[in-house]
Amino acid sequence: MLVLVLGGNSEIGLAAAEQFARKERADIILASRNMEKTEEQARVLADRHGVSVRTEPFDALAFETHRPFYEKLDPKPDVVILAFGVLNNQKEAQKDFQLARNTLDSNLLGAASILEPIAADLEDRGHGTIIGISSVAGDRGRQSSYIYAASKAGLTVYLDGLRHRLWPSGARVITVLPGFVPTKMVAGRNPKFGFTPLETAGRDIYNAWKKGRHKIYTGAKMRLIMALVRAVPEFLLLRMRNI
Ligand SMILES: NC(=O)c1ccc[n+]([C@@H]2O[C@H](COP(=O)([O-])OP(=O)(O)OC[C@H]3O[C@@H](n4cnc5c(N)ncnc54)[C@H](OP(=O)(O)O)[C@@H]3O)[C@@H](O)[C@H]2O)c1
């Protein structure tokens, strides 16, 4: 088995890759823009699990490189983990459209740009799984995070549609909706509902693949919490400032 991690320095992506290496003896490709860090992560994974781990340069914002990047991969992966993402400061993004745009370009357009050639290949082969890491933030727009949330809501719906499209071919799409996971992306934050441990997130992602799930929340309580957040009537939400 071969697993491609897009955003190969993502701590959640690496935690999931680690599960595939340990439990499936999967070989791994870490694709990222920061090659020095990626090479180091590749050495750690390979030493720990005795699988082959290689690296490829990949920038989610360099849309024109995405199709050639995927075309030249040989062999093609069985599992693709879409793990890259940015979380820019909401208040700064309200003032600086370049930051807002960077969030939307990276999390939504970058994802669509690289997943289209991958989806077409999996569809042709009738085999393989795309695991897209979106976010619970996309479940409901709130003042504290709506630009990031919009990018993730778009990604969640995109993945829903891709799953529907690929289903008859035998290729699969899994949507992952993490709550807070303690990675560098959210360093210094103190979330109201606590953190889902990194290892739990990795295990939940692997188990979703193993069990053929379509859409999962990471961490046992997140599904319930987000059902409650979605159920808050709009007139009440407008008066709540702390979510
Ligand atoms: N941690 C959480 O609480 C949480 C919650 C919900 C959803 N998520 C989502 O989970 C995914 C993984 O995040 P994480 O928590 O593992 O954070 P992370 O460790 O910061 O990983 C995100 C990775 O995305 C990469 N990236 C950003 N822009 C890129 C680009 N243009 N091209 C290639 N790579 C790029 C970064 O690469 P560099 O190292 O090169 O900068 C970074 O390593 C993200 O989509 C995030 O939105 C995270």
Side-chain angles (χ1 to χ4, degrees):
M1 172 183 288
L2 181 62
V3 175
L4 166 65
V5 184
L6 296 165
N9 289 321
S10 149
E11 293 179 52
I12 296 180
L14 286 164
E18 177 123 32
Q19 295 281 324
F20 280 95
R22 187 188 309 155
K23 295 175 177 165
E24 300 293 326
R25 314 294 315 145
D27 292 331
I28 312 283
I29 304 173
L30 298 177
S32 194
R33 58 183 177 179
N34 181 339
M35 293 313 285
E36 206 177 311
K37 234 160 66 179
T38 317
E39 298 284 356
E40 195 185 313
Q41 301 291 1
R43 273 194 297 278
V44 171
L45 258 183
D47 288 351
R48 204 176 282 164
H49 299 291
V51 297
S52 140
V53 186
R54 65 186 177 88
T55 62
E56 287 286 342
F58 171 80
D59 183 343
L61 291 171
F63 304 140
E64 70 290 349
T65 65
H66 290 174
R67 196 168 286 276
F69 160 85
Y70 189 71
E71 277 170 1
K72 91 172 195 334
L73 284 187
D74 184 21
K76 301 290 191 238
D78 305 289
V79 173
V80 176
I81 303 176
L82 178 98
F84 60 78
V86 296
L87 173 61
N88 288 309
N89 180 282
Q90 165 70 28
K91 286 216 158 64
E92 285 170 24
Q94 287 167 205
K95 289 181 244 151
D96 176 359
F97 182 67
Q98 288 315 314
L99 268 187
R101 185 179 183 156
N102 175 261
T103 305
L104 293 158
D105 279 352
S106 307
N107 297 353
L108 178 56
L109 299 188
S113 167
I114 182 60
L115 289 184
E116 282 306 318
I118 293 176
D121 172 54
L122 300 194
E123 195 170 36
D124 282 352
R125 289 194 281 148
H127 163 81
T129 303
I130 291 168
I131 302 176
I133 305 183
S134 187
S135 171
V136 297
D139 278 12
R140 189 154 193 187
R142 281 158 287 150
Q143 51 94 28
S144 55
S145 61
Y146 63 84
I147 294 171
Y148 173 76
S151 72
K152 291 299 191 176
L155 177 60
T156 299
V157 172
Y158 174 87
L159 292 168
D160 284 345
L162 200 56
R163 172 163 48 251
H164 193 201
R165 167 186 156 195
L166 295 188
W167 182 260
S169 73
R172 296 291 173 251
V173 177
I174 300 170
T175 310
V176 178
L177 302 168
F180 274 96
V181 179
T183 67
K184 60 187 182 297
M185 179 176 276
V186 293
R189 300 213 184 189
N190 187 13
K192 217 177 284 67
F193 302 116
F195 282 111
T196 300
L198 187 54
E199 202 187 328
T200 305
R203 211 174 35 236
D204 286 351
I205 293 169
Y206 170 78
N207 286 340
W209 172 81
K210 192 74 182 167
K211 294 177 182 167
R213 304 278 300 276
H214 305 308
K215 192 184 264 189
I216 62 148
Y217 289 84
T218 62
K221 59 189 180 189
M222 270 334 280
R223 180 177 292 277
L224 176 64
I225 290 169
M226 291 318 294
L228 294 173
V229 170
R230 283 195 308 274
V232 175
E234 195 68 17
F235 77 90
L236 266 185
L237 187 87
L238 292 176
R239 286 162 180 77
M240 295 164 74
R241 293 289 93 192
N242 59 348
I243 70 168

